Amino acid sequence: MNDPAPRRARVRAPELIGKGGWLNTGGQQYTLADLRGRIVLLDFWTFCCINCLHVLDELRELEEKHRDTLVVIGVHSPKFVHEADHRAVVDAVERYGVAHPVLDDPELATWKQYAVRAWPTLVVIDPEGYVVAQHAGEGHAHAIERLVGELEAEHGAKGTLRRGDGPYVPPEPEPTSLRFPGKALLLPSGNFLVSDTTRHQLVELAEDAETVVRRLGSGARGFADGGPDQASFNEPQGLALLDDGSVVVADTVNHALRRLDPATGEVTTLAGTGRQWWQGSATSGPAREVDLSSPWDVAVFGGKVWIAMAGVHQLWTYDPEGGTVAVAAGTTNEGLVDGSGAEAWFAQPSGLAATAGRLWLADSETSALRWVDPDGRVHTAVGTGLFDFGHRDGAADQALFQHPLGVTALPDGSVAVADTYNHALRRYDPATGEVTTLATDLREPSDAVLAGEDIVVVESARHRLTRLRLPEEAVRVESVAHRARRAATEVAPGRLRLDVIFQAPAGQKLDTRYGPSTRLLVSATPPELLLKGDEADTDLSRDLELNPAVTEGVLHVSAMAASCDDDPANEYPACHVHQQDWGVPLRLAADGTDRLPLVLAGMDEQ
């Protein structure tokens, strides 16, 4: 006798709506009815979000294994104004190798229909058009894999499963020398080394910043050491020159640091295991034995290689002498908090530049320029938090950037900022505390390097390096200020019930072998918003008390749950960590809700 199909909550899936239309479908527009009979996985993402990029990588194996039954659809739901630009979404889909259809939803219509609250969020729709699961954050591929297998068996038996080719149509490749380059480095020879991110290579250009001298790496996504044709990278980004003439490479999607010998083209691995760092992983130790998480840039400061560890919102260091790595600053919580390294919060640090007394960093998700002093304390020069951004010059305390990815030290003690989503090169002068604009009309600049009296800008979305003479006068631009596109949730002042929903995947149970398997950390910006409930605890539900005198703010919620295979006969069950950080904009209103549900995994059935 066959086992009955597992009982699941089922909710009719809302229609897929996006004003920007469909990408990667050969021009075809789709509705859910067109996909009936297939298992559909909606991936709500935005291209600024490092956690979303992690999920894109997690899903590659799942997509390949179930390509005849599963249709993955990316629903692009922008945070920044620039991310609502259709051309920018087209670029991002190619830049990150998205090999499935994408619905461009600049007005967050589908996001709202599915009551999504976080990037990334994954929603599973069964072949009959019902939502059967929702997951927020990373680490859910194993649970979705199991659910897809169950749905294949269930709907195969019912005759409601339709197999065949999916709607994905790859775009035509473009014949450019570089494709979405990330970072650049001036070599002692006067040539430029560029991370050709989308083609998984390093490219050496001649002094003209155009002529290709050689390519390093096979060009295929991979993780292998060896000579210039055998070695492989996975979306490399940052580059830094060591005293011995070798180059450290932030091999971002491989979660590793690599070493390039420019003389021979030989590539070796300095740090990282190839696995992504998760809560509970080691935070220091022999460099080849410690997991890293999306290192985005590197710079030499104080005798060590500092790493912008975008994936966990931290700064790490690599010690070339001892061959070790360690956390230098950041708690892994996402936000903007200054102070000692142990207290500081970052939000996707993505660009580094060292001077004699400061390590400058572009903290992209807070649209901030920050710096670390020789004692390891963190300071903010420009920027206020996760949801304020724009293009405004003037005094640093009111100036605005939009998701900067690069920073470059200038000879006069000031710094140039690659203000990526404003398509501009900006300048901050610590002597005057003023921000000015050096150049505009640069397509997604992600880095810049000095070359004599010129500054050479990596124009990532124009696939080239652009040489500019450093101007003596600033460019005048009209000031623009923005808030994140996401609407605030209206909540009642006073008691607010926070429920993080987590249901262990089928065949698994909470991992309690070493104590509590869950963790919940809550805080607020401004801190005065929370009168009660801002402690760390293991219960995923909590009563908060909101201050009626603070009319709006952001609730920061960090949740983690660990689950293991539920098989008593298995002495070494496979275990998985599920985690997500939410930044929920709140507005206090008398008629607002008194309950805030956030789905980590499962369905909110209240």
Side-chain angles (χ1 to χ4, degrees):
M1 178 176 174
N2 291 331
D3 292 334
R7 297 193 60 180
R8 300 186 193 89
R10 298 207 313 168
V11 177
R12 176 62 71 179
E15 190 51 83
L16 304 178
I17 306 165
K19 193 173 181 180
W22 290 79
L23 306 176
N24 281 357
T25 62
Q28 181 73 34
Q29 306 296 298
Y30 283 91
T31 66
L32 277 177
D34 300 323
L35 303 171
R36 196 62 48 82
R38 310 299 292 270
I39 302 163
V40 177
L41 175 61
L42 302 182
D43 175 16
F44 288 87
W45 71 300
T46 189
F47 63 77
C48 73
C49 160
I50 191 67
N51 311 91
C52 299
L53 303 186
H54 289 166
V55 167
L56 285 176
D57 198 52
E58 285 180 10
L59 294 180
R60 295 187 204 281
E61 185 177 344
L62 180 69
E63 291 180 85
E64 181 62 32
K65 185 174 179 181
H66 298 274
R67 59 170 47 247
D68 66 333
T69 59
L70 175 68
V71 176
V72 177
I73 294 173
V75 182
H76 189 267
S77 313
K79 171 187 173 182
F80 290 98
V81 169
H82 171 61
E83 293 174 308
D85 178 347
H86 182 71
R87 178 68 246 179
V89 180
V90 172
D91 285 346
V93 167
E94 181 188 351
R95 179 193 301 269
Y96 296 116
V98 180
H100 51 246
V102 172
L103 175 65
D104 181 13
D105 182 18
E107 297 178 349
L108 303 179
T110 297
W111 166 286
K112 293 169 186 171
Q113 288 275 50
Y114 281 81
V116 174
R117 293 186 181 274
W119 297 278
T121 291
L122 299 168
V123 175
V124 181
I125 302 173
D126 74 12
E128 294 177 293
Y130 289 91
V131 174
V132 293
Q134 181 172 327
H135 303 267
E138 306 174 47
H140 301 294
H142 68 284
I144 294 172
E145 161 88 40
R146 184 167 188 136
L147 177 56
V148 167
E150 290 176 356
L151 291 172
E152 286 175 340
E154 177 185 339
H155 290 273
K158 288 173 66 175
T160 50
L161 182 70
R162 179 165 56 92
R163 296 179 179 269
D165 292 334
Y168 171 63
V169 178
E172 290 292 324
E174 297 285 343
T176 54
S177 295
L178 301 173
R179 205 70 193 160
F180 297 104
K183 305 286 185 181
L185 176 68
L186 183 65
L187 295 170
S189 65
N191 288 352
F192 295 90
L193 187 66
V194 185
S195 54
D196 197 16
T197 304
T198 297
R199 291 195 177 131
H200 316 295
Q201 289 179 317
L202 306 181
V203 178
E204 184 177 344
L205 300 178
E207 292 185 42
D208 63 5
E210 295 180 10
T211 305
V212 174
V213 175
R214 60 176 172 166
R215 295 182 180 276
L216 301 151
S218 67
R221 189 188 294 272
F223 189 8
D225 290 342
D229 298 325
Q230 293 78 39
S232 55
F233 300 95
N234 197 343
E235 297 182 26
Q237 288 282 348
L239 307 164
L241 193 65
L242 294 180
D243 289 342
D244 64 3
S246 65
V247 176
V248 179
V249 182
D251 195 5
T252 305
V253 180
N254 277 329
H255 311 297
L257 295 188
R258 314 292 292 283
R259 177 187 183 273
L260 168 70
D261 183 340
T264 64
E266 189 79 14
V267 175
T268 53
T269 299
L270 291 176
T273 62
R275 297 184 301 270
Q276 184 184 339
W277 189 95
W278 289 97
Q279 292 289 347
S281 301
T283 55
S284 65
R288 292 292 304 272
E289 299 174 17
V290 178
D291 300 338
L292 308 181
S293 183
S294 296
W296 206 275
D297 203 6
V298 282
V300 178
F301 179 65
K304 294 183 178 179
V305 177
W306 285 65
I307 309 164
M309 203 72 78
V312 284
H313 317 298
Q314 290 180 313
L315 300 179
W316 287 46
T317 57
Y318 165 70
D319 180 358
E321 291 293 323
T324 57
V325 291
V327 173
T331 63
T332 74
N333 294 314
E334 185 178 14
L336 194 155
V337 176
D338 289 340
S340 70
E343 300 169 325
W345 291 23
F346 300 99
Q348 240 170 272
S350 301
L352 298 174
T355 61
R358 295 187 181 187
L359 177 72
W360 294 95
L361 67 115
D363 204 25
S364 62
E365 279 293 287
T366 52
S367 297
L369 174 65
R370 306 177 73 185
W371 54 281
V372 182
D373 65 27
D375 295 327
R377 292 190 67 81
V378 179
H379 311 259
T380 297
V382 181
T384 58
L386 285 165
F387 298 98
D388 296 299
F389 54 90
H391 190 154
R392 186 161 65 199
D393 287 337
D397 61 359
Q398 55 87 53
L400 294 172
F401 299 123
Q402 187 181 181
H403 198 80
L405 289 178
V407 59
T408 306
L410 300 180
D412 63 357
S414 66
V415 289
V417 178
D419 193 6
T420 310
Y421 288 3
N422 280 328
H423 308 294
L425 189 68
R426 313 282 294 284
R427 176 177 179 265
Y428 169 70
D429 185 352
T432 64
E434 293 285 315
V435 175
T436 53
T437 296
L438 296 175
T440 57
D441 192 31
L442 299 166
R443 281 279 303 280
E444 293 194 18
S446 54
D447 196 20
V449 293
L450 286 174
E453 296 183 355
D454 296 339
I455 189 164
V456 177
V457 181
V458 180
E459 274 199 274
S460 190
R462 280 202 177 107
H463 318 293
R464 71 187 190 193
L465 269 56
T466 300
R467 187 183 294 270
L468 303 173
R469 180 57 54 94
L470 273 172
E472 295 182 6
E473 293 187 5
V475 176
R476 290 192 173 275
V477 294
E478 184 176 346
S479 295
V480 180
H482 298 292
R483 292 280 287 175
R485 301 181 64 79
R486 183 177 167 191
T489 299
E490 292 199 342
V491 296
R495 179 186 175 277
L496 176 69
R497 179 67 172 179
L498 171 65
D499 288 325
V500 174
I501 314 300
F502 179 75
Q503 295 153 5
Q508 294 187 8
K509 64 179 181 179
L510 287 174
D511 178 16
T512 56
R513 292 173 300 163
Y514 308 110
S517 60
T518 56
R519 186 195 68 171
L520 181 64
L521 179 67
V522 181
S523 62
T525 304
E528 297 76 26
L529 175 63
L530 266 184
L531 295 176
K532 176 187 171 187
D534 61 348
E535 67 277 0
D537 203 347
T538 57
D539 193 341
L540 292 181
S541 293
R542 185 178 301 177
D543 287 329
L544 311 179
E545 188 176 345
L546 303 181
N547 188 347
V550 180
T551 57
E552 62 178 33
V554 179
L555 194 66
H556 304 283
V557 180
S558 177
M560 184 274 289
S563 63
C564 292
D565 292 344
D566 187 11
D567 182 0
N570 185 356
E571 187 177 353
Y572 303 104
C575 298
H576 308 274
V577 176
H578 317 255
Q579 65 183 49
Q580 171 64 10
D581 295 331
W582 291 267
V584 184
L586 300 182
R587 182 179 298 112
L588 271 60
D591 57 351
T593 182
D594 63 358
R595 177 177 180 262
L596 179 63
L598 300 175
V599 177
L600 179 60
M603 299 279 284
D604 178 23
E605 298 178 21
Q606 287 197 34

